[in-house]
Structure formats: C-alpha cells, structure tokens
C-alpha cells in the first residue's frame, strides 16, 4: 500500500498536486478537515465528541482525529493507498499515525514537502482571495500568520520523517507538470523493493 504525507504551506500548490497524485496512483485523499466535517454530519460518536469540543472552543484531541482516520482506513481497505492532508502536524501525531498504520499492516511510504518562499505565498494567496471568497486569503496579516504556523508545526515533523529516511523537500515554484514529475520520481523510489546484493548476502553467510 502506498501512503503519502504531502505537506506544503498555504498556497504552495499542494491541492493541485494532490489531485494529480490521486489520479495517477489511484489513491484515497484523507483530509482531516473533511473527515471531521463528515463525522459531525453523520452524527457518529467521534463526530459528536468533536463537535462538543469545538462548540466549547477547544481543540479536537489527537485520539479523536486518529479514531476518524482509523474508521476511514477500515472503510477503504481495498484502496491502493492514501494521501494524508493536514495530518500529522506534530511528532506525537506522526508517532500515533505510525502505530495506527502498523495495526493495518502498512506504513507511511514517504513525506513530500513543497517549499515556497513567504513573499511568493502571500502573493499567490492574495490573488486566490479575489475568487476564493475566503477571508483568510484576503488579509495579508492572516496569511503570514498561517505560513508561520505551518513552518513552526512542520519543522519537527520533517525531522521525524527524515530520521526514517522518508522526508523529501521540493521547490514548489515552477511548472505544475515538472513538480508533479519530481514528486512521482520520489514516490517511485520508495515503491521499489530493496534487493540485497549477492556479495552482501555471501558475506553475511560467511560471518
């Protein structure tokens, strides 16, 4: 199973690349925001718990979010893999995700982060705000705050996946198809089986 953590600050083009990867690798898109809204709409136990916390102005705890992801994984057992969007954002979340995926006999294949400078992000989001009708795309101070939160949250998560040799950063500025091709190259490398060399195997037997 192919499981991709695709990261990028607001305006980095993550949404565009996600859709292309979903189509190319036949993956299921797992957005924690979408899962949360779906659980609340369906009135599930997790959804009701999350809604109660949100109504009180509290953050939804990690165990609730993990529970929602667990439900999604069970519903899509036959999927070729998943793209995780918006999760994990902290090291404890990454550790919880690893444990959950292990229970489903799979794992995170790789994490790809699209890197774009702050000024370019501000420019892109202000332009997007002209048509998106999103207030947070129309206020420069809010945009910079969102970018800062992303940079703060993901720095340690990047290190977590780097320690597993799964983290890859790409320049998010350029032609869409070119960036997509680079992401595919990274993913394809992680899909290749590790073949032990005959020499190494012989040496191990001798030892």
């Amino acid at each position: 199973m192919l499981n991709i953590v695709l990261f990028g600050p607001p305006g980095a083009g993550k949404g565009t690349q996600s859709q292309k990867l979903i189509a190319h690798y036949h993956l299921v898109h797992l957005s924690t925001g979408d899962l949360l809204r779906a659980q609340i709409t369906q009135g599930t136990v997790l959804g009701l718990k999350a809604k109660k916390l949100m109504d009180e102005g509290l953050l939804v705890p990690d165990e609730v979010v993990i529970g929602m992801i667990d439900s999604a994984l069970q519903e899509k057992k036959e999927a070729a893999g998943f793209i995780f969007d918006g999760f994990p954002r902290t090291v404890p979340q990454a550790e919880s995700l690893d444990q959950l995926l292990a229970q489903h006999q799979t794992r995170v294949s790789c994490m790809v982060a699209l890197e774009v400078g702050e000024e370019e992000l501000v420019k892109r989001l202000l332009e997007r705000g002209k048509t998106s009708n999103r207030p947070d795309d129309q206020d420069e101070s809010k945009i910079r705050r969102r970018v800062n939160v992303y940079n703060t949250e993901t720095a340690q998560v990047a290190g977590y996946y780097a320690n597993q040799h799964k983290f890859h950063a790409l320049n998010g500025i350029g032609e869409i198809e070119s960036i997509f091709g680079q992401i595919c190259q990274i993913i394809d490398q992680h899909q290749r089986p590790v073949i032990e060399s005959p020499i190494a195997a012989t040496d191990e037997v001798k030892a």
Side-chain angles (χ1 to χ4, degrees):
M1 184 178 283
L2 178 63
N3 299 307
I4 309 301
V5 176
L6 184 61
F7 264 32
K14 181 165 56 73
T16 299
Q17 295 298 338
S18 288
Q19 292 306 311
K20 294 180 71 65
L21 291 169
I22 288 167
H24 185 72
Y25 291 103
H26 309 291
L27 304 175
V28 173
H29 184 230
L30 279 188
S31 163
T32 50
D34 290 346
L35 288 176
L36 191 59
R37 286 185 286 272
Q39 294 278 341
I40 291 173
T41 300
Q42 294 167 17
T44 65
V45 173
L46 288 172
L48 292 173
K49 183 176 180 180
K51 186 177 187 303
K52 183 177 184 296
L53 292 167
M54 292 167 67
D55 288 345
E56 295 173 358
L58 302 174
L59 292 175
V60 178
D62 290 351
E63 60 266 25
V64 174
V65 179
I66 282 290
M68 293 180 179
I69 294 175
D70 188 18
S71 296
L73 292 174
Q74 292 184 45
E75 290 174 7
K76 304 287 185 179
K77 287 182 178 179
E78 305 306 316
F82 297 86
I83 285 187
F84 293 93
D85 181 357
F87 192 90
R89 290 188 178 277
T90 65
V91 171
Q93 289 179 355
E95 292 172 342
S96 295
L97 181 60
D98 275 354
Q99 293 169 7
L100 175 62
L101 291 176
Q103 293 172 14
H104 288 270
Q105 298 181 330
T106 185
R107 61 186 176 82
V108 169
S109 304
C110 62
M111 174 186 181
V112 180
L114 297 176
E115 297 186 335
V116 178
E118 183 172 330
E119 297 310 313
E120 176 64 20
L121 292 171
V122 171
K123 177 183 174 182
R124 289 184 183 184
L125 290 173
L126 287 174
E127 185 63 29
R128 188 174 79 180
K130 296 176 182 178
T131 56
S132 71
N133 295 319
R134 287 179 52 173
D136 55 351
D137 281 348
Q138 300 166 357
D139 186 318
E140 183 173 333
S141 63
K142 289 182 178 179
I143 290 172
R144 292 188 184 278
R145 193 176 306 124
R146 287 161 64 196
V147 173
N148 181 64
V149 168
Y150 166 82
N151 289 333
T152 302
E153 287 181 338
T154 58
Q156 292 184 335
V157 179
Y160 176 83
Y161 286 112
N163 287 336
Q164 297 182 8
H165 307 291
K166 294 179 180 179
F167 174 76
H168 302 270
L170 286 178
N171 186 351
I173 299 178
E175 295 293 329
I176 291 174
E177 289 300 329
S178 174
I179 296 171
F180 175 64
Q182 294 176 62
I183 296 174
C184 288
Q185 285 181 354
I186 291 169
I187 292 174
D188 291 345
Q189 287 175 1
H190 282 274
Q191 281 190 301
R192 293 173 187 165
V194 177
I195 301 175
E196 188 177 23
S197 71
I199 296 176
T202 303
D203 289 343
E204 186 177 342
V205 171
K206 289 180 179 179

